[in-house]
Amino acid sequence: MLVFPKMKIRTLLLLSGMSVFVMLIVLIFSINSITNRIFSEYHRIEQLEKVTNYNQKIGALENEFLLYETINSDFFLTQKSPYISEIEKQFWLIEQNLDSTQMGDENNTKLSKYLSILSKQVLQYKENLELLKTQILEKGFVSEGLIGQMRASIHSVEQLAEQSNDLKAIRYMLLLRRHEKDYMLRKELKYQTKFNSTFEEFESYLSGSNLGNNQQFVVELNHYKSLFAKMIEMDQKIGNKTSGHIAQLVQNKNKINHSIDEITKLIRLSSSQNISSSTFLLYALLATLSVLVFLLLYRVSTRIMGSIKSLHGHLTVLGEGNLPNMFLINHEDEIGEMKQSINVLTENLENTKRFAISVGKGNLTEQVNVFGNKGDLGGSLIEMRQQLLKVSEERTLQKEIDQQRHWSNEGIHLISEILRYNADQIHELSKRFLFKLVDYLGANQAYLFLVSDSDPNILKLESAYAYQREKFLKKEIHVGDGLVGTCAIEKKSFFLTDIPQNYIKLTSGLGDSNPNLIYIAPILVDNELLGVLELAAFDVFPSYKQQFTDKVCAQYALALQKYSQFERNKNLLEKLQRQANEFEQREAIFKHTIEHIKGQTISDSISCYVEENEPFAMN
């Protein structure tokens, strides 16, 4: 085949494609027939896999039926189970799929025999499943069937036993119930033996007790025993995986599984043989076509590779991270279009280089035009610039937050110093605290109210501040009155920016005007109100100043608490001192009185002695 050097690659490929198309027309009908046959066989295999899945699902549904429906009250009421319906549906699907897989093997007598056997086995399984369903319904659950009757009977017996107040009879009833429940839980016949043994002891006891004369009690008790025996008998009929009706179902299921396995083996063997022969023929046809196409494409690739080599050097330079010169485009074929695209790429990479240099110099507002700011690279560069701007803004914000934190910590330290060195003078302490807080916050006016010692429902003005001068005002506010009283009740800080006219006036060099912010904060210790702080300012406080105010109010509250404790201790000490002085005075008076009494007694004794000896002296 002659490859023309001036021919466009597209035209060259079209001619090659037409040649391939002619070859395909020759082979298409045979290939179509072969592939249809192969797909048909694979479809049969797929249907067999469905049959296997349906069969597995039947086993799972059977287990779920025995696990859930035997304790499902709705099943015993309606006598209908979605699991039974689903099992019947799965068997129907198995039969449908097996019938469709038999198509093409109608003459296979062995397959027909197994399908006939499978139909009989499925019918027998359905009959056994229906019988099992009937036995389960007869056995019952909670209030239905034999179990329901048994529970109703035993409840009647228990009521009669409780009415008789016979503790030993009640004990026997509890033992019977225990054996019943042990059997219901473990399904072991030894508990029936224990039940019967206990029942005989109970009968022996009843023969000599007053309760044994109660005919209704004896009848109900025997009825309970009979129902329990019937329930156990029904359990034996129902059985388990190794005995009873469930074991028959397991055997039916194993037979069905065996039949399905044999049918699957036969169909798979037939399908495998058909697929093998069809595949061999298909590979032979494809090999022939591949050789012809290879020869054709080899000639075409020789033409294309010659053009591609001219691009290799340019792309190599790009791959090394350098920006080569632009291509000179001499032809308008597909290679020429590729060169044009590479020129566009080179130009955009040059723009990317300039953008990276600009960003490296810190110029984040530099405009970039890479691929029209679209696509992966262009969009990514725009996103990178946005992220860098975001990081810069976050750093600025973090710096502002750090400054606010430093401002707050410094203010707390200053307030702490004031509270520490003025802790023994409450008025001076409050004054200095208020002045420093107003000055530090940049507020314009402030009032500090403390709870009255005589009446906790009254807030007394302790200190006031307005434009660098203290206002000595006598002011009292009842708790609940106005904003300050409301804050005292709610014990929460709040602020107002929509200040009513004439609520408060701030005096400045420009005259009187309304503030733009009223901030009121409670002074609390362990949720105990000690006072209220009211601030007014022209400028609205940011959140960090509000938080700072709440913190220093808490510090001030602790200082007030310490002052109160100090005053109580001081008053107690003064009281003790006064009591000590009074005691010393009383002790001095007592000593003086004793000495006076002693002196008076001695004087009287001397006088008496003189009077008695005076006659002798005269003689």
Side-chain angles (χ1 to χ4, degrees):
M1 174 183 171
L2 180 62
V3 179
F4 299 97
K6 299 294 185 181
M7 184 182 294
K8 281 194 172 185
I9 296 175
R10 180 182 179 185
T11 305
L12 184 61
L13 292 176
L14 284 174
L15 291 175
S16 302
M18 289 177 65
S19 301
V20 174
F21 179 74
V22 171
M23 289 184 286
L24 288 175
I25 290 296
V26 176
L27 301 174
I28 191 67
F29 292 104
S30 56
I31 293 176
N32 181 59
S33 176
I34 293 171
T35 53
N36 285 337
R37 187 176 180 184
I38 292 174
F39 288 144
S40 176
E41 296 301 330
Y42 277 118
H43 180 66
R44 293 176 68 188
I45 294 175
E46 182 181 352
Q47 287 178 315
L48 288 177
E49 292 176 352
K50 289 182 180 179
V51 168
T52 303
N53 293 333
Y54 295 148
N55 190 32
Q56 292 174 352
K57 190 171 182 180
I58 288 172
L61 289 169
E62 178 187 323
N63 292 332
E64 290 177 356
F65 169 75
L66 294 175
L67 181 63
Y68 298 116
E69 293 293 46
T70 54
I71 58 173
N72 183 4
S73 300
D74 292 339
F75 168 67
F76 292 95
L77 291 174
T78 62
Q79 298 187 3
K80 294 181 180 180
S81 171
Y83 298 105
I84 299 294
S85 301
E86 187 64 23
I87 288 173
E88 293 175 351
K89 179 182 176 182
Q90 297 302 316
F91 274 122
W92 180 82
L93 291 172
I94 288 175
E95 293 171 352
Q96 294 295 317
N97 279 273
L98 289 177
D99 289 342
S100 62
T101 55
Q102 191 182 11
M103 295 179 181
D105 283 330
E106 291 82 357
N107 298 325
N108 192 331
T109 56
K110 194 173 182 180
L111 178 60
S112 300
K113 176 184 176 182
Y114 275 112
L115 287 173
S116 176
I117 294 173
L118 178 62
S119 297
K120 293 178 181 179
Q121 291 170 344
V122 169
L123 180 60
Q124 185 179 3
Y125 180 87
K126 290 180 180 178
E127 292 174 354
N128 288 333
L129 184 63
E130 185 63 28
L131 180 57
L132 176 63
K133 172 185 172 184
T134 303
Q135 291 173 344
I136 290 174
L137 289 173
E138 184 178 350
K139 177 185 173 183
F141 177 69
V142 184
S143 61
E144 303 295 332
L146 290 174
I147 293 178
Q149 297 175 25
M150 184 178 67
R151 290 192 174 183
S153 177
I154 192 59
H155 288 162
S156 177
V157 173
E158 287 176 339
Q159 290 177 359
L160 292 174
E162 290 176 357
Q163 291 173 4
S164 68
N165 200 23
D166 190 333
L167 298 180
K168 194 167 184 179
I170 293 174
R171 176 180 171 274
Y172 278 117
M173 290 302 303
L174 291 175
L175 285 174
L176 290 175
R177 292 305 304 276
R178 177 183 175 183
H179 297 325
E180 172 204 329
K181 293 183 182 298
D182 286 340
Y183 172 78
M184 295 292 289
L185 181 62
R186 299 176 177 84
K187 303 297 182 184
E188 296 178 6
L189 292 178
K190 67 178 181 180
Y191 296 110
Q192 183 185 19
T193 304
K194 291 183 179 180
F195 180 91
N196 292 333
S197 176
T198 304
F199 190 87
E200 291 175 359
E201 293 179 7
F202 194 13
E203 282 184 326
S204 176
Y205 169 74
L206 290 177
S207 62
S209 67
N210 294 330
L211 188 61
N213 298 327
N214 190 331
Q215 188 63 26
Q216 181 184 359
F217 179 83
V218 174
V219 171
E220 289 291 341
L221 184 62
N222 288 324
H223 184 55
Y224 166 60
K225 176 184 178 184
S226 174
L227 290 173
F228 181 65
K230 288 181 180 180
M231 184 199 67
I232 294 177
E233 181 181 355
M234 186 57 65
D235 267 340
Q236 297 302 311
K237 290 181 180 180
I238 293 173
N240 51 36
K241 296 291 184 181
T242 59
S243 64
H245 208 76
I246 294 178
Q248 292 180 9
L249 276 180
V250 172
Q251 293 175 2
N252 293 149
K253 190 67 171 52
N254 291 335
K255 292 178 181 179
I256 292 173
N257 291 340
H258 177 71
S259 298
I260 290 176
D261 290 340
E262 291 299 325
I263 293 170
T264 301
K265 290 178 182 178
L266 291 173
I267 294 178
R268 284 185 182 275
L269 179 60
S270 175
S271 297
S272 298
Q273 292 173 352
N274 293 333
I275 290 174
S276 298
S277 60
S278 300
T279 303
F280 176 77
L281 181 58
L282 179 60
Y283 284 162
L285 293 173
L286 290 177
T288 303
L289 180 61
S290 299
V291 171
L292 295 175
V293 171
F294 173 76
L295 294 175
L296 178 62
L297 293 180
Y298 175 76
R299 298 298 301 272
V300 174
S301 63
T302 303
R303 163 72 173 87
I304 296 174
M305 288 302 298
S307 300
I308 291 177
K309 286 182 179 179
S310 63
L311 299 173
H312 180 266
H314 195 91
L315 294 177
T316 300
V317 175
L318 284 175
E320 293 173 351
N322 298 317
L323 297 178
N325 297 325
M326 297 291 186
F327 273 122
L328 293 177
I329 301 173
N330 299 320
H331 302 285
E332 295 181 358
D333 57 1
E334 290 82 356
I335 299 298
E337 294 173 358
M338 292 174 63
K339 290 180 178 180
Q340 179 63 35
S341 299
I342 292 175
N343 285 342
V344 172
L345 173 63
T346 303
E347 182 181 359
N348 282 285
L349 290 176
E350 183 67 33
N351 293 337
T352 303
K353 174 184 174 182
R354 289 196 297 269
F355 172 75
I357 293 173
S358 177
V359 170
K361 294 179 179 179
N363 184 8
L364 299 179
T365 59
E366 176 72 18
Q367 295 297 323
V368 58
N369 182 13
V370 179
F371 301 106
N373 295 336
K374 299 177 181 178
D376 293 338
L377 183 58
S380 297
L381 289 175
I382 295 299
E383 178 66 21
M384 182 186 74
R385 184 178 63 183
Q386 295 298 328
Q387 290 297 328
L388 289 174
L389 286 172
K390 182 179 179 181
V391 169
S392 178
E393 293 173 356
E394 289 176 352
R395 288 180 178 176
T396 303
L397 178 60
Q398 185 61 42
K399 183 179 180 181
E400 182 179 351
I401 292 173
D402 292 340
Q403 291 175 348
Q404 293 172 1
R405 185 182 296 110
H406 176 73
W407 178 90
S408 179
N409 293 336
E410 184 178 357
I412 291 174
H413 176 71
L414 292 174
I415 296 296
S416 298
E417 292 296 320
I418 291 174
L419 297 177
R420 183 182 299 113
Y421 292 110
N422 297 276
D424 57 343
Q425 300 178 10
I426 187 62
H427 182 71
E428 187 65 23
L429 171 72
S430 302
K431 173 184 173 182
R432 289 180 177 274
F433 164 75
L434 189 64
F435 275 45
K436 175 55 70 174
L437 178 61
V438 170
D439 180 65
Y440 200 73
L441 287 173
N444 302 95
Q445 190 166 305
Y447 293 94
L448 180 60
F449 297 89
L450 297 181
V451 176
S452 174
D453 295 333
S454 59
D455 188 352
N457 292 320
I458 294 178
L459 299 171
K460 288 187 176 182
L461 180 67
E462 179 65 27
S463 184
Y465 177 93
Y467 269 93
Q468 310 302 328
R469 59 188 179 86
E470 185 178 8
K471 288 188 172 183
F472 296 94
L473 303 175
K474 291 183 179 181
K475 189 173 182 181
E476 292 184 354
I477 294 179
H478 288 272
V479 173
D481 292 346
L483 296 177
V484 174
T486 301
C487 179
I489 291 178
E490 295 181 355
K491 297 181 180 181
K492 293 181 180 180
S493 60
F494 60 88
F495 66 92
L496 297 175
T497 55
D498 187 11
I499 313 301
Q501 291 292 331
N502 299 322
Y503 173 78
I504 190 173
K505 293 292 184 179
L506 298 182
T507 303
S508 66
L510 301 176
D512 295 339
S513 60
N514 282 338
N516 293 320
L517 171 74
I518 296 294
Y519 189 79
I520 302 177
I523 300 172
L524 302 171
V525 171
D526 297 332
N527 206 35
E528 178 185 358
L529 182 72
L530 301 182
V532 176
L533 173 67
E534 180 180 18
L535 296 170
F538 288 120
D539 298 327
V540 177
F541 289 169
S543 60
Y544 74 92
K545 284 193 175 184
Q546 297 176 20
Q547 295 172 2
F548 167 77
T549 303
D550 293 339
K551 290 180 181 179
V552 297
C553 283
Q555 284 187 308
Y556 177 68
L558 291 175
L560 287 178
Q561 186 184 46
K562 291 180 181 178
Y563 174 78
S564 298
Q565 294 175 352
F566 172 77
E567 285 295 315
R568 284 196 297 269
N569 294 336
K570 179 180 177 182
N571 293 334
L572 180 61
L573 184 62
E574 291 177 352
K575 182 178 178 180
L576 293 175
Q577 187 66 39
R578 287 195 303 269
Q579 290 177 350
N581 293 335
E582 291 176 0
F583 180 77
E584 289 178 357
Q585 292 176 1
R586 290 177 182 178
E587 185 180 14
I589 294 172
F590 179 75
K591 288 181 178 180
H592 178 72
T593 303
I594 293 298
E595 291 176 357
H596 178 71
I597 292 173
K598 288 181 177 180
Q600 186 68 33
T601 303
I602 294 171
S603 177
D604 292 342
S605 299
I606 294 172
S607 299
C608 183
Y609 177 79
V610 171
E611 291 177 356
E612 291 177 353
N613 293 287
E614 186 177 358
F616 297 100
M618 292 177 64
N619 292 329

